[in-house]
Amino acid sequence: MPTPTLAGGPLRWRRTPLHDETPLPARTSTAVRPAVFIAKDGTLVENVPYNTDPALLRFRPGAAEALAALAAHGWALLVVTNQSGLARGYFTRTQFARLQEGLQKGLQQAADVALLDFLVCPHAPAPDGGPACLCRKPAPGLLRRAARRHGIDLASSWMVGGLQDDVEAGQRAGCRTLLLSDGDESQWRRTPLRTPEAVCHDWAGVARHILLTPPEPAPSLP
Ligand SMILES: [Zn+2]
């Protein structure tokens, strides 16, 4: 099989099979669907600040395979990403759309994975660093917009990201939260809103955790 490429460069990912024979819990049948919301930079792909060149896209190890496993079990997959480079004028929507297309094509080629949607906050934070819109994570606007658009049940959905802002956005939307971190978690500001339900250190662990956790509503916030 030829190595999949993204416009000019080979995709790098490790084959990380998910060896777990434990039976999966049956999902409750509901009219609305559960989803996994995924942060992009540093979570789905290696973080290259303000990159819009598809040739520089590299999936994090095991990401494509993990998403394929989740999709095979009925999880809708959506990317939710802050792109303040748009508001700052570092790149245009057309340039970012090209990157998005490259990313989606790369996922398709790497593991036959299709995203349900790709939601972008194009705004910058306020000059004091505070929120200036309702969609920049840690605000939950992108997740809520996706839920309305696609009939997603937020309480049985997961937010997966590498930052506490991702965790907070997930918590504020009423989702379950999983932090994908290979760093030092002792430096975190631990508040209930910024503490994830689970921490995983690689993508295989993320898929296992989501697939093996029984569906239940997230605990109510204090
Ligand atoms: Zn925004």
Side-chain angles (χ1 to χ4, degrees):
M1 199 173 122
T3 305
T5 55
L6 266 190
L11 282 176
R12 289 182 198 154
W13 74 93
R14 250 184 294 156
R15 289 264 162 229
T16 314
L18 301 166
H19 297 296
D20 202 317
E21 304 304 322
T22 318
L24 299 171
R27 294 206 59 79
T28 51
S29 154
T30 54
V32 286
R33 59 199 310 197
V36 180
F37 297 102
I38 306 143
K40 173 180 159 286
D41 298 313
T43 299
L44 177 58
V45 298
E46 303 291 353
N47 190 20
V48 181
Y50 302 115
N51 171 48
T52 55
D53 181 356
L56 298 181
L57 277 173
R58 299 285 181 270
F59 290 115
R60 299 287 317 278
E65 292 81 357
L67 295 189
L70 292 168
H73 286 90
W75 292 87
L77 306 172
L78 301 92
V79 168
V80 286
T81 180
N82 289 351
Q83 294 297 329
S84 68
L86 288 162
R88 299 179 207 271
Y90 295 167
F91 48 84
T92 66
R93 282 176 185 268
T94 305
Q95 286 172 305
F96 190 77
R98 208 171 299 137
L99 179 92
Q100 181 181 331
E101 192 189 340
L103 189 152
Q104 290 179 256
K105 205 177 286 177
L107 270 181
Q108 198 94 52
Q109 290 174 336
D112 201 20
V113 169
L115 298 174
L116 175 63
D117 209 343
F118 192 111
L119 294 105
V120 179
C121 165
H123 310 112
D128 66 356
C133 67
L134 297 174
C135 51
R136 182 177 166 82
K137 296 175 289 181
L142 296 180
L143 287 75
R144 289 194 176 142
R145 188 187 307 161
R148 283 193 301 272
R149 190 181 287 173
H150 300 289
I152 288 166
D153 176 28
L154 289 170
S156 59
S157 297
W158 290 84
M159 173 73 218
V160 177
L163 301 174
Q164 284 191 297
D165 278 356
D166 298 320
V167 171
E168 184 172 338
Q171 298 255 36
R172 287 188 182 280
C175 292
R176 314 186 74 169
T177 54
L178 201 160
L179 192 106
L180 174 55
S181 169
D182 42 20
D184 175 14
E185 291 112 41
S186 64
Q187 303 302 315
W188 294 347
R189 191 156 62 86
R190 287 192 183 272
T191 63
L193 268 178
R194 294 174 75 80
T195 303
E197 180 175 331
V199 179
C200 290
H201 299 286
D202 58 37
W203 265 104
V206 170
R208 265 198 308 274
H209 187 88
I210 292 176
L211 293 175
L212 297 175
T213 302
E216 62 183 47
S220 54
L221 296 175

